[in-house]
Every structure is written in structure tokens, then in C-alpha cells.
Amino acid sequence: MGNEAIARGVVEAGASVVTGYPGTPSSEVIETLQRLGQGLGIYVEWAVNERVAFEIAYGAAIAGARSMATMKAPGLNVAADPIVSAAYGGVDAGLVVLVADDPGPHTTQTEQDSRWFAHVAKLPMITPSSPQEAKDFTVKGFLLSEALSLPVFLRTTTRVNHAVGEVVTGEHSEPRWARGFRKQVERFVRAGMSWNLERHRWLNKQLARAELVAEELGLNRVEGSGELCVVTEGSAYNYVVEALGELGLGARVIKLGLLHPFPRSFVSRALTGCERVVVVEELDPYVETMVKKLVAEEERLRHLIVLGKDEGLLPLEGELGPGLVRAALAKAAGLEYEPVRRESPRAPPRPPPLCPGCPHRGTYLGILIGISRAGYRRDEVPVFGDIGCYALSVGEPLRAIWTEHSMGASISMAVGLKLAGFRNPVVATIGDSTFFHAGVQPLIEAVHKRVDILVVVLDNQVVAMTGHQATPAWPRTETGRETKPVRLEEVIRSIGVDNLVIVDPENVDEVADAVAKLLRTPGVNVVIARRPCALLDARLHGVRRRYRVVEEKCTGCNACIAATGCPALYRTPGGKVAIMEADCLGCGICTRFCPYNAIVPVEEETR
Amino acid sequence: MTKVVNILVASVGGQGGLTLSRVIAAAAVMAGYSVRTGETLGMAQRFGSVKSYVRIGVDTPVYSPVFEPGEADILVGMEVAEAYRNHHYLRPMGLAVLSTEEKPPISVSLGKAEPVTMKKLIEALESHGAEIIIINAPRLAREAGNPRAANMVLLGAMNAAKRILPDNAVEEAIRAILRGKRAETSIKAYYLGKEYTGKHKPSKEHWEDKAHASEQT
Ligand code: SF4
Ligand code: SF4
């Protein structure tokens, strides 16, 4: 997998400090290193959020340790502040920031095109197209970073991070640890405005050398020849190569590995002799804009016709695929091309549900019932959501959350709503890891500004959505490193909330009563709904018990499914309900909703 | 044209569709082929629709990890509704290897959508001339002593029909990815699927196994 290849590159480069915050499609880099890493003796741990991750990596790199920070695109925004300043300070050893974009999008809130961020931060950015390049470019990223004394972005997309393919590996190198940290205030103290001006000049000088170094590292290349030229990068390159073969088109493929600074002289040389230039890239016309600028500025290229997104050749949204690229290249080359059209079958929708036994199901049912018990209709009390598995509560049948915006925004947006004069109570729901990541400051804001708000922290004690990573509450990390667990309730209490109760989400009525009471109590009130992620718990400790439906008792009223939406429940051809025993994780929540007591635990002996 | 084999694995999250695609990919690498897979991981994909693409370049490098509808040589359907959702990926006269397992999506359980029956799936596949293998993969997996190895049963069935991957490469790949006892029972499941398919040529004519829905455990 591309991410495993990046992990391999980290080992080959001898990085000693690797950190990040989980986020699809970037998470497997650190996971792989953690799995293989005990023997490596390097520091590979999750950080509380992306900015902290970057700052840790930066702190290591200014002391001569090769380091890496990994994140998905929205995480880059969280880390933006320290990254932009780091361009002025520079590094004393390679620092590579992996940022994984998600055209599609498959698992991300936006289709952010992080290539533009390289411009904002004024830092070099490189991008691989294949698992092999994912490894090679990671190593080269460290070399580029050291050659320029600047942090370097390794920008990937899902189809590279998660693509599996053959990879030829290289040699391990010894981890490079800190050599020492020398006091250089003009580099590292951003309070001096004249220093900042000076460092900005320095930064521009470094950037000007990037193309030359990239050339030495072989990051850009030209394949094939012809008057039809295709400029491409990243995963789009793969579609281009195959499309040209399938269309039987001869063309010159200009493949960019360096995205920023734009390799101007390389592209200028490569375009010599071209007539028609097609730019194939995902999301925004980033490369296209650069190519058009170049063509406009250079006399001898001015006759070129450049085709891309501006010309409507390819869409601005969604990911590319072989079909889109084939059609675009055929059109650009003036070929007749009839794509195979296949209607998508009308299959019953299967949006991802909360897992069987998921504690979030009980929490949201408790919140919704609690809203009624407090005397409100469901549509009178907004439930703010946050980033995590629990956002799946938006689906049928719970339809619980009203928003899911960005890490931590549940609390701050709820605060904003109240401050704007909204009269009804509001509920903010946030997971434990998301709370540690970006929920603490919003809660401080709520307490300090005396806003009436109910915050429900869904504490499943793990970063579940991205594959079960550690939270600050863990007593040891994935690599076995002993930690001091940070206790959620202690943090919350110390902020000064008015009321704090801890409930068990499997007891829906306990949750509902707490919610009902606190919705009628002024102040900042917090409910911690605590129970470990059902999937992880079953994996670690086995399934406590399972449930079954007594066929004779079941009337087929469907109340259990309509209330819980648990995917282990299904309708039988006989019009009743049954439980897929292998999937049931034994939370027992469905039993509460069966009016006929038809759902019972499976007896030990019959299991 | 050079030879690339496109395989689409359609499954419900948690069934082992991703493991299957990784085993196929690893076996293909061990057999000396070029390979790419495309899949979406992460997100709470348990019980959601999962589609993974596997592309094997027998005598040519592959680049793209994905392919378009109508371009799959083989559709591996681990679940009836998911096989149906993706049947348009199969090229005309392609091979469909189907498990009888059903996991009704919530939309069906809530009565908001029509369920997909095996009969409907077969009709859809026949409309593009597919060769169809239907196999009670969960049952054979249990026989192999590993209820989670339905994916390997289907791999066995696929390989019995198409002989893409040498057995020793498959064994090696399973051991590399699963390890321990699970690997051995998975290998057993692979051979059960392969033998069963070789012996019975299980197609729709032989599909009488109506017990699948009540036989989920
Ligand atoms: S007890 Fe009921 S709600 Fe809980 S996992 Fe089993 S079937 Fe689902
Ligand atoms: S709520 Fe009880 S009676 Fe109604 S369908 Fe479910 S199990 Fe059967």
C-alpha cells in the first residue's frame, strides 16, 4: 500500500521522530511504523492534534533530527499556523509533512486541494504517483528538505495512499537523532520584524534553488515524444499512461514530481516542440494555471494551445478515473471515442451505519428521548455533531445530528447559536479524541462566557473512525511507551463546568434522564457517555453475550429496527425480525424497544 | 493488447473484502505479475458498501488502481445486494463468483427499499452474458474451521474457474497477510472453495441452497 511504502521510505531515510494525527487516507503510515517500529527504536506516536504534531516534528528538525508529521487535508489547516512560520525558521535536518488529499471525496468533509497551501506557506511540495514513488519520494523529500533547509510537503491523494502495488525497497539507514540545538534568535524568534523581513528574503532564495535540487533528485521527467503534450502529476499520471495506450495515441508525457515551486525551466524545456498541451490533474486547475502563465510569459511558447479545466475538458470536482481521462485525451487529440456506458443498478442504499453494539447508538437515543422528556420536540433542540464515527448518527433511523463541521466545532457553533439569542436549549456532541484535539478551548469559551449549553462527550476511549488509535487517556501507546493518562473528567472539571455526570450509553434511560435534567438546568453542563468502542472491545475481550429473537414472541412490528437501526437486526422472509448472531455485539439496546420482550440473550449452552 | 485482468470485489464492510483484495494482490506479486488495487479504507466502513478493485498485469505493468464499469473480467460478490449494486462493472461474458450470503441494508430493514434477491441478481448478470458461479461460501468457511474465511472460499472458486494465481503463491500470500492459525484455516477454506467449484461447477442450475438467509450464524 502507498502508505506502507511511505513508512518504508521513512525507515530508509532514517527519520527518528514521526508523529501526526489520524486521518483517512494518511493514517497507515504511522500505524505501519508502529507495528514494525518497536525494533526500529524511533519515536512513532500519535499527537493530540496536527498542529502539535507539526510543532513536535519541527522541534526535532531544528535540532538535526530527521522528522515527519502526517495528516489529512483538514489537519493541514489545523497545523497551518506553525507551518507558515517554520518556512522562516528553516530546519537543520529533513522534515517532511505528509498531507493526504481526498479527491472524490471518499472520507473527507471537503475536496480541499492542498497544492495551493504550498504557495501560502512558501514551502516546496512534491507528489508521487505510485506506491514505488511514494517510498522513493519520501526519501527524496528528506534530501530536498535538507538541501534547502526547509520543511517539505509530500502531497498524496487517496488513490496513491491506498493503492497496493509492487515496491522495490532500498537500504535502511540509522535513525538521525538530535545533534544539538544552537541559540539563533534571528531564525527562531518571530518577534523581530527586521529578522522576519530578512528571513523572508532568505526563504525566497532557498525556494529559487528548489528546481535545481529537484532535477538532481529526478523528481520530474518526460516520457515519449510528439506534438501532443500532456502535463500531469500524482494519480492522474496513471490514468494518462493507460489512456494513451488504449487510444493508441503517441504523446509526450510531462510528469511533475515537484509541484511547488513550479519547475518552470524544466516545463519550459519539455514543452519545446509541442503544439497542443493538455493538462490532466485532479481538483483545481493548479498545474494548468502555472503552465498557462509560463506559456503567456515565454515568447517561444506563446503559440501553444493549452487545454484543461478552464476549457471544460475535465471536471473541477470529484476524482478522475480512466474513463474521464480517456475521453479528455481523445477529445484533445480530435479522436472519435465512444465510451462504454453502463447504467448504475438501482440497488437498495447502504449508507455506513453505526456498528452493532456501538455505544453511540445508546447515547443518541438517550439524547433524543431526553429532549422529549424535557418537554421539547426533536426539531426544537438542535444537536450539534462533530468529526468521528458518531456523525453516522445522521443516517436513518436516528437522524440525530444537525451539523458536522470541523474538529471541535460542535461546541463553538452551539455557543454561537446561543449568543445570537437562540432561546431553546442546545446540545453539542463530541467524541473523546475530538474533544482532546479541539474541544477543550471551545469548552473554556462556553464556561468563560456563561453560555447555557449541554455538551455530551461520547467517550469510547479510542480514535475509532480512523482505525482505533490511541488517545491521551491511554496509559500506554501503541509502541508500548508508558504514558501518564490524561483523564477526561479531570480536564472537564478543571475548566469549571457547572455540572458533570458520567453515564453508561448502554443504559438509554440513564442517558435520557441526565439529558432531560440538564437541559432544564442553566449553565455549562457536561455528560460523559462512557463505554469502549464495541468493535475494539469485542476484538480485545471477546463478545460478552449475544441476543436472539424468540420467533414465537416476535410480531414483526419492526419497533426494534425502527428505533435502533442496528445492522445485526434484519427482517426475515416470514415477516418477523431476526438477529445475525455473528454480528450482534450484545449491547442489549434493542431489547429496550421491543414491546413484546421478544429479544433475549442467547443461552450459553446454545451458543 | 496486452493482458490485464480486472477484478472487482463487492462486499459489506467487515466481511473481508479488503483482505481478499490484498491477498489477491500479494499472490499476484509473488507470481511475478504487476499489480494495483484501489480501495477506500478507514471511515467506519463496517456494514457499509465496500468495493475494491484489483488489477493484475500478466505481461505488462499496470498503472491505474481503478477501472470503469463494463471493464471487470471478474466480479467477486461477497453479498447479494452488493454484487447487484456493482454488476454493471462486469464486462460482457465476464465471470461472476457469488456468495449466497445476504446482509440486508438498513434501507431494506426499515422498509424503505426493495430487497435484492439472488434471482434478480442472476437475471441482471445474465443480461450481459456472464458466466456465473454461486457458492455457499459461509458454509464452506465454517467447514474449514474459520467462519470469517468466506472470502478465501470465493478466491478458491475464482481460481478454479480462471487459474490466474498459482496455489503456492496464494498460500504464501495468505500466510503473509493473516498469519498463525487463521492463515491455515483460510488456506483450507481456499482449497475447499476451489475443489467444490472444480467438482460441482456450481452455477445457477445448482443453486438450490435456499437456506442462506436463515443460515447467517
Ligand atoms: S443487542 Fe441488539 S442492538 Fe445490540 S448489537 Fe445485538 S442486535 Fe444490535
Ligand atoms: S420489536 Fe420485538 S416484536 Fe417487534 S419486530 Fe422487533 S423483535 Fe419483533
Side-chain angles (χ1 to χ4, degrees):
Chain A
M1 195 200 318
N3 282 342
E4 292 165 328
I6 292 172
R8 173 74 196 189
V10 167
V11 175
E12 290 182 11
S16 62
V17 174
V18 184
T19 182
Y21 188 79
T24 313
S26 70
S27 314
E28 295 85 2
V29 175
I30 286 183
E31 284 178 346
T32 304
L33 287 168
Q34 287 180 329
R35 211 169 42 242
L36 310 173
Q38 261 115 320
L40 300 170
I42 64 175
Y43 179 89
V44 196
E45 306 291 357
W46 295 111
V48 68
N49 66 29
E50 292 87 354
R51 72 167 296 153
V52 173
F54 175 79
E55 285 159 355
I56 288 173
Y58 188 59
I62 59 174
R66 283 194 175 170
S67 62
M68 178 182 246
T70 73
M71 57 202 67
K72 69 186 296 179
L76 176 64
N77 306 340
V78 174
D81 183 7
I83 291 179
V84 174
S85 285
Y88 281 40
V91 294
D92 295 85
L95 167 52
V96 174
V97 179
L98 169 68
V99 52
D101 280 1
D102 186 26
H106 297 281
T107 54
T108 307
Q109 54 266 51
T110 67
E111 286 193 295
Q112 171 172 320
D113 190 333
S114 299
R115 294 176 299 175
W116 301 109
F117 190 80
H119 278 256
V120 175
K122 304 194 76 156
L123 286 174
M125 178 178 274
I126 61 177
T127 195
S129 296
S130 63
Q132 180 72 54
E133 281 187 355
K135 180 194 81 67
D136 295 343
F137 280 28
T138 302
V139 178
K140 290 175 182 180
F142 281 100
L143 300 176
L144 179 63
S145 171
E146 280 173 14
L148 302 175
S149 304
L150 289 174
V152 165
F153 290 113
L154 179 67
R155 189 256 190 178
T156 54
T157 55
T158 308
R159 293 294 179 204
V160 173
N161 294 100
H162 284 171
V164 171
E166 62 281 9
V167 172
V168 182
T169 55
E171 293 288 308
H172 277 217
S173 18
E174 278 296 305
R176 300 197 189 186
W177 294 93
R179 288 190 303 260
F181 179 44
R182 205 159 51 80
K183 190 171 179 185
Q184 298 166 78
V185 289
E186 67 294 347
R187 267 184 73 190
F188 299 121
V189 178
R190 294 273 69 80
M193 295 308 131
S194 59
W195 296 337
N196 291 348
L197 181 66
E198 202 38 57
R199 291 307 287 182
H200 191 187
R201 291 201 182 102
W202 170 84
L203 170 57
N204 285 334
K205 251 187 249 139
Q206 298 304 95
L207 278 180
R209 289 174 38 228
E211 187 178 345
L212 208 67
V213 183
E215 197 93 328
E216 285 161 15
L217 293 170
L219 291 172
N220 307 312
R221 64 173 187 266
V222 180
E223 293 169 7
S225 57
E227 291 177 350
L228 177 68
C229 294
V230 186
V231 187
T232 185
E233 52 95 350
S235 46
Y237 162 80
N238 300 313
Y239 309 134
V240 168
V241 174
E242 289 192 356
L244 291 173
E246 278 154 23
L247 296 168
L249 257 181
R252 188 183 313 181
V253 178
I254 301 168
K255 179 187 180 301
L256 302 185
L258 179 68
L259 292 174
H260 183 257
F262 185 68
R264 210 187 140 99
S265 25
F266 166 78
V267 175
S268 167
R269 261 180 283 127
L271 287 178
T272 309
C274 291
E275 285 301 327
R276 210 168 248 265
V277 183
V278 189
V279 183
V280 181
E281 61 189 319
E282 290 189 300
L283 303 176
D284 296 337
Y286 170 86
V287 173
E288 179 180 331
T289 306
M290 305 299 153
V291 169
K292 283 182 174 162
K293 179 169 179 285
L294 172 72
V295 165
E297 284 169 2
E298 287 201 20
E299 184 70 56
R300 57 182 195 89
L301 298 176
R302 215 161 285 160
H303 66 286
L304 294 186
I305 302 166
V306 183
L307 302 169
K309 307 231 171 181
D310 295 345
E311 290 69 30
L313 204 56
L314 286 163
L316 289 163
E317 310 85 8
E319 65 174 344
L320 295 182
L324 279 171
V325 173
R326 238 176 271 154
L329 290 178
K331 195 168 165 208
L335 288 182
E336 289 286 333
Y337 171 70
E338 251 328 297
V340 190
R341 284 205 197 285
R342 289 293 200 89
E343 285 284 309
S344 294
R346 288 162 62 109
R350 193 191 299 270
L354 293 170
C355 297
C358 175
H360 302 329
R361 178 174 290 110
T363 305
Y364 280 107
L365 283 167
I367 291 171
L368 296 174
I369 295 169
I371 289 173
S372 320
R373 282 191 193 161
Y376 294 94
R377 288 197 321 266
R378 274 189 185 198
D379 60 1
E380 288 175 327
V381 179
V383 179
F384 287 83
D386 222 303
I387 312 269
C389 289
Y390 43 99
L392 299 175
S393 71
V394 70
E396 297 277 3
L398 291 176
R399 290 186 286 120
I401 56 164
W402 296 30
T403 68
E404 188 222 16
H405 187 78
S406 62
M407 296 289 280
S410 57
I411 301 177
S412 343
M413 283 169 64
V415 166
L417 185 63
K418 287 303 282 184
L419 291 176
F422 187 78
R423 287 182 194 283
N424 289 343
V426 295
V427 183
T429 59
I430 182 167
D432 52 330
S433 176
T434 307
F435 180 76
F436 282 124
H437 177 289
V440 177
Q441 297 91 333
L443 190 63
I444 292 174
E445 186 74 14
V447 168
H448 183 235
K449 301 297 174 354
R450 294 191 154 278
V451 180
D452 294 335
I453 173 183
L454 173 61
V455 177
V456 180
V457 183
L458 301 103
D459 181 15
N460 62 359
Q461 303 174 352
V462 70
V463 191
M465 183 160 67
T466 46
H468 297 125
Q469 292 86 359
T471 77
W474 283 28
R476 73 178 63 227
T477 67
E478 286 90 343
T479 55
R481 181 178 286 268
E482 296 254 0
T483 61
K484 180 170 165 100
V486 177
R487 294 175 60 89
L488 193 57
E489 56 268 43
E490 282 172 15
V491 173
I492 291 171
R493 233 178 240 121
S494 70
I495 292 174
V497 301
D498 295 290
N499 295 288
L500 170 67
V501 289
I502 300 179
V503 296
D504 177 359
E506 261 178 26
N507 189 340
V508 173
D509 290 288
E510 187 191 358
V511 181
D513 285 339
V515 167
K517 179 161 168 271
L518 293 175
L519 281 180
R520 288 182 302 227
T521 312
V524 177
N525 300 313
V526 178
V527 172
I528 297 179
R530 172 170 292 160
R531 184 167 273 278
C533 167
L535 261 192
L536 185 63
D537 198 53
R539 205 172 291 157
L540 295 178
H541 307 116
V543 181
R544 301 164 277 176
R545 59 176 178 269
R546 301 189 194 272
Y547 284 79
R548 68 184 177 92
V549 175
V550 183
E551 209 190 326
E552 305 77 56
K553 284 197 189 173
C554 174
T555 64
C557 70
N558 228 33
C560 50
I561 294 178
T564 67
C566 172
L569 297 160
Y570 69 101
R571 292 192 69 79
T572 65
K576 303 207 171 188
V577 162
I579 291 177
M580 293 182 214
E581 260 180 48
D583 290 336
C584 171
L585 293 183
C587 65
I589 287 175
C590 55
T591 63
R592 186 197 175 280
F593 294 93
C594 174
Y596 305 98
N597 295 322
I599 308 178
V600 298
V602 176
E603 299 301 329
E604 283 297 329
E605 61 271 23
T606 64
R607 243 200 263 170
Chain B
M1 270 296 288
T2 42
K3 180 114 185 78
V4 176
V5 181
N6 290 336
I7 304 169
L8 190 86
V9 181
S11 66
V12 175
Q15 277 190 308
L18 295 177
T19 307
L20 173 56
S21 68
R22 293 214 72 175
V23 167
I24 298 174
V29 171
M30 284 160 188
Y33 303 141
S34 170
V35 67
R36 283 287 182 281
T37 73
E39 57 208 26
T40 311
L41 310 162
M43 186 82 160
Q45 291 281 356
R46 303 270 306 191
F47 300 91
S49 299
V50 179
K51 168 168 78 178
S52 38
Y53 306 80
V54 185
R55 309 190 67 220
I56 302 173
V58 177
D59 54 7
T60 178
V62 275
Y63 292 86
S64 167
V66 294
F67 47 81
E68 298 290 337
E71 294 181 356
D73 300 285
I74 302 171
L75 168 68
V76 180
M78 296 202 60
E79 195 272 347
V80 174
E82 292 314 308
Y84 185 78
R85 190 186 313 286
N86 293 296
H87 76 75
H88 63 308
Y89 272 89
L90 199 60
R91 68 166 166 74
M93 319 306 280
L95 168 70
V97 182
L98 309 173
S99 171
T100 52
E101 187 160 16
E102 287 182 32
K103 283 182 179 286
I106 185 70
S107 56
V108 169
S109 303
L110 288 171
K112 300 199 171 178
E114 278 297 306
V116 178
T117 60
M118 183 57 102
K119 187 162 166 282
K120 187 170 169 187
L121 172 61
I122 292 171
E123 280 167 10
L125 286 166
E126 282 185 336
S127 74
H128 30 104
E131 178 190 343
I132 303 174
I133 292 175
I134 300 171
I135 187 162
N136 189 329
R139 199 190 67 211
L140 289 180
R142 282 195 302 277
E143 262 172 44
N146 183 350
R148 289 167 68 191
N151 51 359
M152 296 302 128
V153 173
L154 293 171
L155 176 57
M158 178 188 106
N159 228 6
K162 282 279 182 264
R163 295 175 210 288
I164 298 165
L165 304 163
D167 287 338
N168 58 354
V170 172
E171 282 194 29
E172 208 181 320
I174 293 176
R175 286 202 182 95
I177 288 167
L178 295 173
R179 301 197 178 98
K181 181 161 169 274
R182 234 185 108 198
E184 297 316 310
T185 49
S186 295
I187 289 169
K188 199 165 163 210
Y190 165 75
Y191 283 114
L192 279 184
K194 195 172 173 194
E195 273 157 34
Y196 186 88
T197 309
K199 230 185 275 157
H200 300 270
K201 297 256 174 304
S203 64
K204 65 178 197 305
E205 286 78 29
H206 294 81
W207 180 63
E208 285 153 11
D209 205 343
K210 295 276 188 330
H212 53 276
S214 50
E215 212 192 1
Q216 295 288 354
T217 47

